[in-house]
């Protein structure tokens, strides 16, 4: 049993602890080591009210994806497309080349641990932080090693690998990974891409890549795929189908290879 004196002492300790924590949090002065270009991008972020739909470090809206680590997963081609013509629910903003470069600089410089963490990041994309990053690393390694693809073309295996690599590049510059998960159907019903080449005839697959399947929830690709892009993407899908077992095993191994220092986690930043 606590005596009245001990209860008062316990309450005083709790109040003091709360005061110390509050002081640590609000005295955590942080500078903004942003370049001039990144500062221009921040002005655009604020002017267009991007935080209404997107989050940075856990703050913002939920209609669009969290952009804390967007620089790690969205390449320049895809970013320019998003900022100029939009995608899905995101409206076209008609950014100029200079504005797109400024926004890219802002996203890139905000994706740095010394500024803060808006999500619990278990490693980095280069260390296999998740299934998608691990999948892309596994594909890159397989293509680099010259792993054979599907049906061999008359031009030989080197040409097959080159075309599959071009298809992989086309895949990465579009938001395919927003709906399609590696080696399984996604919760929104997007199919496993490693099985698509065997499920659809070439002409049907070509039509899907050109027009999407709007009635089934798949919009037309943005930016659009021309005939050469579609041929390359089909070669990539055949490559996935031909090497599914090896790529799935490599993806699982890379996704499990994570390094994280729990001591470096700023616990007070997470509620």
């Amino acid at each position: 049993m606590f005596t009245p004196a001990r209860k008062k002492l316990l309450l005083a300790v709790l109040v003091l602890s709360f005061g110390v924590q509050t002081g640590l949090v609000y005295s955590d002065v942080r500078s903004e080591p942003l370049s001039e270009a990144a500062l221009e991008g921040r002005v655009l972020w604020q002017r267009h009210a991007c935080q209404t739909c997107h989050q940075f470090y856990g703050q913002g809206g939920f209609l669009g994806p969290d952009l804390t680590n967007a620089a790690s997963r969205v390449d320049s081609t895809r970013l320019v497309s998003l900022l100029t013509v939009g995608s899905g629910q995101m409206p076209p903003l008609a950014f100029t080349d200079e504005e797109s470069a400024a926004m890219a600089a802002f996203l890139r410089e905000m994706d740095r641990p010394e500024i803060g963490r808006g999500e619990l990041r278990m490693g980095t994309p280069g260390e296999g932080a998740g299934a998608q990053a691990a999948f892309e690393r596994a594909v890159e390694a397989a293509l680099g090693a010259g792993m054979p693809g599907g049906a061999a073309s008359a031009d030989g295996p080197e040409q097959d690998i080159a075309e599959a690599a071009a298809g992989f590049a086309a895949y990465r510059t579009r938001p395919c990974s927003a709906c399609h998960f590696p080696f399984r159907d996604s919760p929104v019903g997007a199919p496993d891409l490693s099985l698509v080449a065997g499920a659809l005839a070439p002409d049907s697959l070509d039509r899907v890549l050109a027009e999407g399947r709007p009635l089934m929830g798949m919009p037309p690709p943005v930016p659009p795929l021309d005939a050469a892009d579609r041929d390359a993407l089909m070669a990539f899908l055949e490559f996935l189908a031909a090497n599914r077992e090896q790529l799935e095993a490599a993806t699982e191994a890379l996704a499990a290879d994570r390094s994280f220092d729990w001591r470096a986690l700023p616990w007070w930043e997470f509620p």
Side-chain angles (χ1 to χ4, degrees):
M1 294 291 295
F2 284 105
T3 64
R6 288 184 175 179
K7 289 181 179 179
K8 291 180 181 179
L9 178 61
L10 178 60
L11 180 59
V13 170
L14 291 174
V15 171
L16 179 62
S17 298
F18 177 77
V20 170
Q21 182 190 33
T22 301
L24 288 173
V25 171
Y26 289 98
S27 64
D28 184 19
V29 179
R30 292 171 182 261
S31 61
E32 289 191 26
L34 298 179
S35 67
E36 184 176 345
L39 290 173
E40 292 176 3
R42 188 178 67 174
V43 170
L44 292 168
W45 169 275
Q46 295 168 341
R47 180 184 303 161
H48 291 274
C50 302
Q51 70 276 7
T52 302
C53 297
H54 299 283
Q55 290 189 34
F56 258 138
Y57 307 119
Q59 301 295 321
F62 294 90
L63 183 61
D66 187 325
L67 298 183
T68 305
N69 308 121
S72 302
R73 63 177 187 269
V74 180
D75 68 14
S76 58
T77 302
R78 175 59 182 159
L79 179 61
V80 170
S81 173
L82 290 170
L83 295 175
T84 54
V85 301
S87 177
Q89 298 183 80
M90 179 171 173
L93 300 177
F95 272 29
T96 65
D97 290 343
E98 292 76 14
E99 289 173 331
S100 295
M103 183 60 75
F106 176 57
L107 294 175
R108 184 171 57 252
E109 295 185 27
M110 290 300 287
D111 184 16
R112 285 163 34 187
E114 62 266 28
I115 294 180
R117 293 182 177 88
E119 58 183 341
L120 181 57
R121 291 194 284 183
M122 302 298 289
T124 67
E127 295 167 344
Q132 181 61 33
F135 166 70
E136 293 184 8
R137 287 183 62 201
V139 171
E140 287 174 348
L143 290 169
M147 187 179 287
S153 69
D155 296 321
E158 290 185 0
Q159 179 61 31
D160 294 338
I161 293 296
E163 192 165 17
F168 180 49
Y171 161 86
R172 297 181 76 177
T173 56
R174 290 161 179 83
C176 306
S177 61
C179 296
H180 295 278
F181 286 13
F183 307 111
R184 65 186 179 93
D185 293 348
S186 75
V188 298
D192 177 351
L193 291 180
S194 66
L195 302 177
V196 168
L200 294 176
D203 58 340
S204 298
L205 181 54
D206 183 73
R207 186 163 53 252
V208 170
L209 294 177
E211 304 171 1
R213 281 182 166 179
L215 296 180
M216 299 179 67
M218 178 179 171
V222 177
L225 294 161
D226 60 24
D229 287 334
R230 296 197 301 273
D231 287 343
L233 197 45
M234 290 170 68
F236 171 61
L237 295 175
E238 291 177 358
F239 172 83
L240 287 183
N243 300 285
R244 187 180 194 278
E245 185 175 343
Q246 300 94 313
L247 290 171
E248 184 176 14
T251 297
E252 290 177 356
L254 289 168
D257 181 21
R258 301 175 178 177
S259 60
F260 187 77
D261 183 2
W262 290 100
R263 295 170 299 180
L265 180 65
W267 294 100
W268 57 86
E269 292 187 10
F270 297 90

